[in-house]
Amino acid sequence: AALAALALLAYGGFMARSLLAAAHPGEIFAFTVKALDVKGPSAAVSGGISDLLRPRMGRPFSLADAKKMELALRARYPSLSRVEVSRSFVGGRVTVIAAPEPIVAKVRFFSPRRGGGGAGEEFYLAENGRLLAETYGPLPADAFETAIYAEPGENLAALAGFLKEIKGLKEEFSSRPVSLRYRGPERVCLMTLENSAEIFWGEFEFTRYKIAKLNDVLKDAAQKIQGPLKI
């Protein structure tokens, strides 16, 4: 009789737990928040995340709450590449880790739908090709002017990869780049050098080889042609 009673109690507890989990998924292992730990890309972002979490102090926090918080932070800070909200039952600690999208360039964006004129809209081009209205991480050093003429939503990943590569090789140019204009979707890329030469770059491949060939052409042409060059 005792064993049967224990079995019934265990079964009843299991069923109650299952019903509660079905009605409130993710709330079974909730705990009271006693401490916060925020690791963000800047003081402003970390402070904003802390302000969003502070009302949860002293209240239950479940796995479902953590997932909702991640979605809310992604919506509030769209230029983050990663947001993780984790929980620790030891000490009732909630930890948030937020990382920014790496940026390759600050650009001017011109859309043909809007006439393509004016000063363009200012964006930050991320390594994955996303155009971001703001950035929370450091800007790349020694950036040259970059203008993009493309349709909204156009895939700019190839351009982002090229800009990252070309900036790593800037010391190999005999005359350094000062501006770049990109027109999609044809991927027409016009680069202007410090010596006023205009370079129609072509495809984004064999970059180091093309820089070496460009240097040879510039050196040879300078001995034969006066004035700005188009290559």
Side-chain angles (χ1 to χ4, degrees):
L3 288 174
L6 287 173
L8 284 172
L9 284 172
Y11 179 73
F14 173 77
M15 290 301 295
R17 185 189 184 93
S18 299
L19 290 172
L20 184 59
H24 303 283
E27 296 185 5
I28 296 300
F29 297 105
F31 64 82
T32 300
V33 180
K34 298 179 181 178
L36 300 175
D37 186 14
V38 178
K39 300 173 183 177
S42 68
V45 173
S46 297
I49 294 174
S50 297
D51 291 342
L52 200 61
L53 281 167
R54 201 165 286 116
R56 306 306 299 262
M57 292 290 291
R59 298 174 56 187
F61 195 81
S62 66
L63 182 61
D65 291 327
K67 296 300 180 185
K68 290 177 182 177
M69 185 61 65
E70 286 183 3
L71 293 174
L73 290 175
R74 288 185 181 279
R76 183 170 181 174
Y77 301 103
S79 297
L80 291 175
S81 64
R82 181 170 65 100
V83 181
E84 294 179 6
V85 180
S86 59
R87 308 177 308 142
S88 175
F89 285 85
V90 180
R93 181 177 297 276
V94 173
T95 300
V96 180
I97 299 176
E101 287 278 16
I103 301 301
V104 296
K106 190 175 184 178
V107 304
R108 289 282 178 183
F109 184 79
F110 299 84
S111 171
R113 295 183 186 179
R114 302 175 188 176
E121 296 178 88
E122 192 173 87
F123 287 97
Y124 299 94
L125 180 63
E127 287 185 1
N128 60 9
R130 289 178 63 201
L131 284 174
L132 308 174
E134 58 185 348
T135 181
Y136 314 126
L139 286 173
D142 299 322
F144 47 76
E145 291 183 19
T146 304
I148 298 175
Y149 299 81
E151 294 288 352
E154 185 173 321
N155 190 336
L156 300 173
L159 174 63
F162 172 69
L163 287 174
K164 183 179 179 180
E165 182 182 21
I166 208 80
K167 287 177 181 180
L169 299 172
K170 65 181 183 298
E171 298 300 329
E172 299 190 18
F173 283 87
S174 59
S175 180
R176 70 181 184 88
V178 294
S179 69
L180 182 143
R181 283 178 283 169
Y182 171 86
R183 192 174 300 277
E186 302 87 357
R187 293 188 179 180
V188 176
C189 187
L190 176 63
M191 186 184 300
T192 302
L193 305 184
E194 196 171 32
N195 63 4
S196 300
E198 291 187 340
I199 316 300
F200 292 89
W201 192 262
E203 295 297 321
F204 299 145
E205 56 185 5
F206 308 117
T207 305
R208 177 174 263 115
Y209 171 79
K210 291 170 76 171
I211 293 173
K213 183 62 67 177
L214 172 64
N215 291 340
D216 289 341
V217 171
L218 287 171
K219 181 179 179 181
D220 184 62
Q223 300 172 0
K224 304 172 181 177
I225 303 172
Q226 297 297 320
L229 303 172
K230 287 187 177 182
I231 301 175

